[in-house]
Amino acid sequence: METRKEQIIQAAIKRFGHFGYQKTTLSELADDLHITKANLYYYYADKLAIFKDVVRAIVEEVFMNEQVIIAAYEGGFMQTFFAVLDARAAMHKKYVMFQTHEMEEVVKGGGLKDVMKEISDKDVQSIHSLITKGIESGEIALKDPVDASNKIAEILRSISIAHKLEDYLTHLPNPEKIDSVLVCQKQMLEFIFEGKFLTR
C-alpha cells in the first residue's frame, strides 16, 4: 500500500507531466489527491520540494530498470550497454514534458543542484556496474574503470545536450531528438570501446 508521500509523488508526476511545472498549483494537486492544501503542506513545504522528490522517483525508476538489464547481461557488453541506452531513451520519451524550458529554468535557478548531483551519481553508478560486469566476464580490459565510467557518462550527457540545443532555443521538447541522441551515443560507444574487447 502506497504511503501518502508516494501518492503525492504519483499525482505530481501526472500533473507536472501533463500541465507542466509552472502551471501546476498546490491547490490543484491537493484536489487531485482529495486532501486539503494544509494537509499537503504537512508533507511538503512547497512545490519545489515536491518536484525534487518527483525527479528522484523518476531517476530511481530509471536506475532500477538499468540494474535489471545489467544483471541479465544479455548479448555481452555492447548489447547490454545499448539496451541500457534504449531504456533511457524510452524513459525520456515517457517523461518528455519534464524536458521543457520551464523545467530548465527550475534547474538553472539552482533549486535542483543537489538532485542533479544525485542524477549524475546514479548515471555513473550504472555505467560502472556495466563496465565491472564486462571486465569480470573477461570481455573488456580497462586500466581505470572508475575514471572510464565518469568520462563515458560525461560524453553521453554532452551528446544529449548538443543534440537538444535547438530544443533549448525554441523551448519545446522534441521526442524525435531522443532517437538521434540514441543513435549518436551508440556510435560513440562503439568508437570508445574499439580495440578494448578481449573476446568477440
Side-chain angles (χ1 to χ4, degrees):
M1 187 170 166
E2 285 185 326
T3 67
R4 177 61 81 189
K5 269 199 163 188
E6 289 169 338
Q7 290 170 350
I8 292 169
I9 295 309
Q10 289 308 309
I13 286 172
K14 287 179 186 173
R15 188 160 277 278
F16 291 153
H18 186 74
F19 297 103
Y21 177 79
Q22 300 292 357
K23 292 182 181 176
T24 294
T25 68
L26 291 181
S27 295
E28 290 167 334
L29 196 50
D31 288 344
D32 290 346
L33 291 156
H34 307 293
I35 61 174
T36 65
K37 192 173 174 183
N39 194 239
L40 188 58
Y41 276 121
Y42 175 79
Y43 294 96
Y44 287 101
D46 54 32
K47 189 166 62 168
L48 181 60
I50 295 172
F51 186 66
K52 284 183 177 185
D53 275 0
V54 162
V55 173
R56 286 184 176 111
I58 292 170
V59 169
E60 190 60 27
E61 181 184 352
V62 171
F63 180 71
M64 295 309 294
N65 288 343
E66 290 178 3
Q67 292 309 300
V68 170
I69 293 167
I70 293 166
Y73 202 70
E74 293 177 5
F77 180 78
M78 287 303 288
Q79 289 306 310
T80 303
F81 214 143
F82 285 177
V84 166
L85 293 180
D86 287 337
R88 286 184 183 184
M91 291 300 281
H92 277 292
K93 287 179 180 178
K94 180 178 177 181
Y95 296 111
V96 71
M97 281 304 293
F98 286 85
Q99 300 167 49
T100 61
H101 171 66
E102 63 176 23
M103 298 301 186
E104 289 151 27
E105 289 302 313
V106 175
V107 172
K108 283 193 288 188
L112 293 179
K113 191 173 182 181
D114 53 336
V115 178
M116 298 307 289
K117 174 74 167 71
E118 291 171 29
I119 292 170
S120 177
D121 290 347
K122 290 275 190 189
D123 189 21
V124 172
Q125 191 177 342
S126 273
I127 293 170
H128 185 260
S129 295
L130 182 49
I131 286 175
T132 300
K133 195 96 166 171
I135 292 169
E136 288 172 352
S137 71
E139 198 175 352
I140 58 170
L142 291 172
K143 290 179 184 175
D144 189 342
V146 173
D147 185 52
S149 300
N150 279 290
K151 286 181 174 153
I152 290 168
E154 189 173 339
I155 289 167
L156 294 177
R157 272 194 303 273
S158 297
I159 290 170
S160 182
I161 291 167
H163 278 254
K164 293 178 182 175
L165 185 58
E166 185 181 330
D167 298 349
Y168 297 142
L169 297 174
T170 62
H171 310 312
L172 296 170
N174 183 352
E176 292 175 10
K177 283 280 170 62
I178 295 168
D179 294 325
S180 66
V181 168
L182 180 61
V183 169
C184 190
Q185 286 177 333
K186 288 181 178 181
Q187 289 171 341
M188 182 55 71
L189 281 176
E190 287 178 328
F191 174 76
I192 289 170
F193 285 98
E194 185 179 2
K196 292 181 175 64
F197 285 92
L198 302 175
T199 58
R200 281 305 261 188

